[in-house]
Amino acid sequence: MRLSIIGTGYVGLVTGACFAKLGHTVICVDIDPEKVQKINNSIPPIYEQGLDNLLSTYKENLTATTDYQTALKTTDVTFLCVGTPAMKNGSIDISYLKEATKQIATTLKNKQSWHLVVVKSTVLPGTTQQIVLPLLEKHSGKKVGTDIGLAMNPEFLKEGVAIQDFLQPDRIVIGFYDEKSRTTLRELYKNFACSIVETSLSAAEMIKYASNAFLATKISFINEIGNLCKKLGIDTYEVATGMGLDSRIGRPFLDSGIGWGGSCFPKDVDALITWAKEIKEPTRIIESTKQINADQPLRLIKILQKHFPKLKGKTIGILGLAFKPDTDDIRDSRAIPIVKELLRNGAQIKAYDPQAMDNFKTLFPTIEYCESATDVLSSDAILITTKWKEFTTLNFQGKIVIDGRRLDQAKNAKIYEGVCW
Ligand code: NAD
């Protein structure tokens, strides 16, 4: 098929590159000319394992442009993958989505053939039908359902393993407005081995929010159990193994530690809570999930203060700034509240991350960034905040290590304590 992708962030570019690999002709659109140039030179603007290889191998059928006209006139299906970032009030900012929709609609005004618009960005239930649909009709002068198809196809990829997740998903959700949109997407995804769930537009939107809220809850739940286990002298990871073998529960997302971050869980959980307030429905479980997650990283500092009641003037090493390993994404990384709290207490910070230091520098330009993980080890104490594989080869002997991520190799440190163990 001939596909256009609007927005070339983690979701858009991975979607585009994977569809190109599957033999489709893909044109990516972004408002950022620098990203567009990089993609056309087969350089990924983000760090995601395997993306560089896909961009160079499939460059014949993957191009990028800033021009909607170029992209839409030669393609039949457009995926909307622009960001829907958090706003201060907890809801999401859909201004990028609205702007991109307007641009798509204006471009489709002069197109004769049927065109399918697929929302892939994470949006609150009702958005595709109540906001995207009217904008498409208003600015194109066409009718959605006859001249233009509309669908909602949420994305569940995990940064770090995004390509694998896209190509081998657990399921594909197709929310559709009209029959032709449903059959077009069915055809596009026909060679995927997983289940395909076909739903209403708003059920597709809700599946994404419910899934993320549930996964965040699973982590906060095991962190609460982990805090209990630590007090009782029980190994929370043994408990997780025992629980996880129950097929109704499953082992993933039962690693207790300093909690969840990233571009999705925090903003999706916030958006759900804020939206539920607007429609006057309580979200007691989800609010607790959020609260536990806010408290958890600060427990690491409390443990540190057992050894250094006064942090002023102490040098604290931070191993890991990305919100999880194998990504350069620092959005809502648990390292952020930890660094803030350390700075508030007057500590000096030496930090290292294999991929995320440039991004972290935009938030904390004045802390010291080390050239290697080994350089961090000269600090008075070391906090492990992201479980990068390269940290497993460090020699922690003689060091004080407070671990937020259960890095077993650090247990030979002079003093070692974990947040929940
Ligand atoms: P991102 O911020 O990394 O990328 C968004 C891109 O859209 C940017 O490159 C930006 O320049 C571009 N853009 C903004 N306005 C545009 C416009 N009018 N026209 C063309 N391009 C425009 O975002 P992301 O992390 O890829 O997330 C995209 C969406 O997917 C969000 O709704 C997010 O919640 C959802 N999502 C993200 C992930 C993830 O792991 N990152 C996973 C699943 C779903």
Side-chain angles (χ1 to χ4, degrees):
M1 281 189 199
R2 303 183 307 169
L3 313 172
S4 41
I5 311 280
I6 312 296
T8 62
Y10 291 86
V11 167
L13 192 52
V14 168
T15 301
C18 289
F19 277 136
K21 177 185 160 67
L22 296 173
H24 301 286
T25 303
V26 178
I27 307 184
C28 294
V29 181
D30 207 288
I31 43 170
D32 183 343
E34 218 176 295
K35 283 189 180 174
V36 165
Q37 195 183 4
K38 280 191 169 165
I39 296 164
N40 284 329
N41 290 327
S42 306
I43 303 166
I46 48 162
Y47 174 75
E48 183 60 52
Q49 240 167 25
L51 194 55
D52 48 354
N53 185 30
L54 285 190
L55 293 191
S56 51
T57 311
Y58 300 100
K59 63 178 176 214
E60 294 301 312
N61 48 342
L62 178 74
T63 53
T65 176
T66 53
D67 180 29
Y68 277 71
Q69 191 79 33
T70 310
L72 268 73
K73 77 171 180 225
T74 54
T75 60
D76 312 302
V77 181
T78 297
F79 283 88
L80 259 167
C81 302
V82 296
T84 47
M87 294 200 296
K88 280 217 168 73
N89 70 357
S91 192
I92 52 166
D93 177 1
I94 55 166
S95 60
Y96 301 101
L97 183 88
K98 284 181 171 171
E99 184 52 36
T101 305
K102 273 189 221 165
Q103 299 231 35
I104 292 170
T106 311
T107 313
L108 290 180
K109 200 175 195 163
N110 300 317
K111 199 177 171 192
Q112 299 304 320
S113 53
W114 183 83
H115 196 99
L116 169 59
V117 177
V118 185
V119 177
K120 210 175 224 322
S121 302
T122 303
V123 291
L124 283 166
T127 307
T128 304
Q129 182 134 1
Q130 286 153 32
I131 292 171
V132 174
L133 187 154
L135 281 174
L136 282 174
E137 291 192 335
K138 181 175 169 201
H139 294 273
S140 70
K142 296 188 173 186
K143 187 97 189 93
V144 170
T146 47
D147 313 316
I148 300 176
L150 183 60
M152 203 285 147
N153 170 219
E155 183 49 60
F156 300 99
L157 60 76
K158 299 183 288 296
E159 288 176 21
V161 282
I163 292 169
Q164 188 192 315
D165 279 354
F166 188 91
L167 293 171
Q168 286 147 10
D170 291 336
R171 77 310 207 178
I172 289 164
V173 175
I174 299 175
F176 61 96
Y177 181 72
D178 53 293
E179 194 53 31
K180 192 168 176 187
S181 301
R182 182 222 289 243
T183 50
T184 305
L185 283 185
R186 224 187 238 175
E187 175 66 21
L188 179 66
Y189 285 119
K190 71 173 180 208
N191 291 327
F192 283 69
C194 63
S195 300
I196 294 190
V197 184
E198 296 179 343
T199 68
S200 66
L201 293 174
S202 49
E205 292 163 329
M206 192 59 165
I207 286 169
K208 174 67 188 170
Y209 275 98
S211 301
N212 275 359
F214 184 81
L215 292 172
T217 302
K218 203 172 170 190
I219 300 173
S220 284
F221 176 84
I222 199 64
N223 284 342
E224 193 161 81
I225 295 292
N227 295 339
L228 267 174
C229 282
K230 180 168 171 141
K231 201 156 245 175
L232 298 167
I234 299 167
D235 183 347
T236 172
Y237 276 63
E238 285 183 3
V239 173
T241 305
M243 278 175 73
L245 285 168
D246 186 325
S247 61
R248 295 167 303 177
I249 298 175
R251 180 60 182 80
F253 288 75
L254 288 182
D255 292 326
S256 49
I258 47 173
W260 39 271
S263 66
C264 291
F265 287 5
K267 99 173 154 75
D268 294 353
V269 162
D270 274 351
L272 205 50
I273 293 171
T274 310
W275 181 61
K277 277 205 177 87
E278 275 166 30
I279 60 168
K280 298 196 171 34
E281 273 303 323
T283 46
R284 290 174 291 254
I285 292 176
I286 307 172
E287 282 174 49
S288 301
T289 290
K290 181 182 162 163
Q291 191 54 51
I292 292 166
N293 202 53
D295 296 343
Q296 206 65 9
L298 301 178
R299 286 180 169 252
L300 209 63
I301 311 272
K302 289 217 175 79
I303 297 170
L304 177 66
Q305 284 176 319
K306 288 203 283 194
H307 305 283
F308 300 108
K310 289 209 170 18
L311 289 168
K312 196 170 167 57
K314 296 288 172 217
T315 304
I316 307 302
I318 303 284
L319 282 176
L321 303 171
F323 84 92
K324 67 173 184 179
D326 303 320
T327 181
D328 60 351
D329 199 340
I330 59 154
R331 289 178 278 187
D332 269 299
S333 164
R334 300 295 76 200
I336 296 171
I338 288 172
V339 166
K340 271 192 190 151
E341 186 61 9
L342 289 172
L343 290 175
R344 202 180 64 78
N345 281 280
Q348 307 279 324
I349 292 174
K350 285 177 87 158
Y352 173 78
D353 187 285
Q355 293 295 338
M357 289 199 285
D358 284 346
N359 285 338
F360 214 77
K361 274 179 200 165
T362 61
L363 291 185
F364 298 96
T366 57
I367 65 172
E368 184 183 339
Y369 292 90
C370 297
E371 299 219 326
S372 72
T374 316
D375 292 347
V376 171
L377 299 184
S378 61
S379 312
D380 293 315
I382 298 140
L383 306 184
I384 299 171
T385 39
T386 317
K387 198 172 180 177
W388 281 95
K389 198 167 175 214
E390 72 169 77
F391 300 160
T392 60
T393 58
L394 292 171
N395 181 1
F396 292 97
Q397 269 175 9
K399 311 292 176 197
I400 299 175
V401 177
I402 316 296
D403 188 359
R405 296 296 183 192
R406 186 76 165 212
L407 190 77
D408 285 335
Q409 293 78 0
K411 285 183 178 163
N412 66 357
K414 182 174 78 179
I415 295 173
Y416 173 87
E417 190 169 342
V419 65
C420 302
W421 54 93

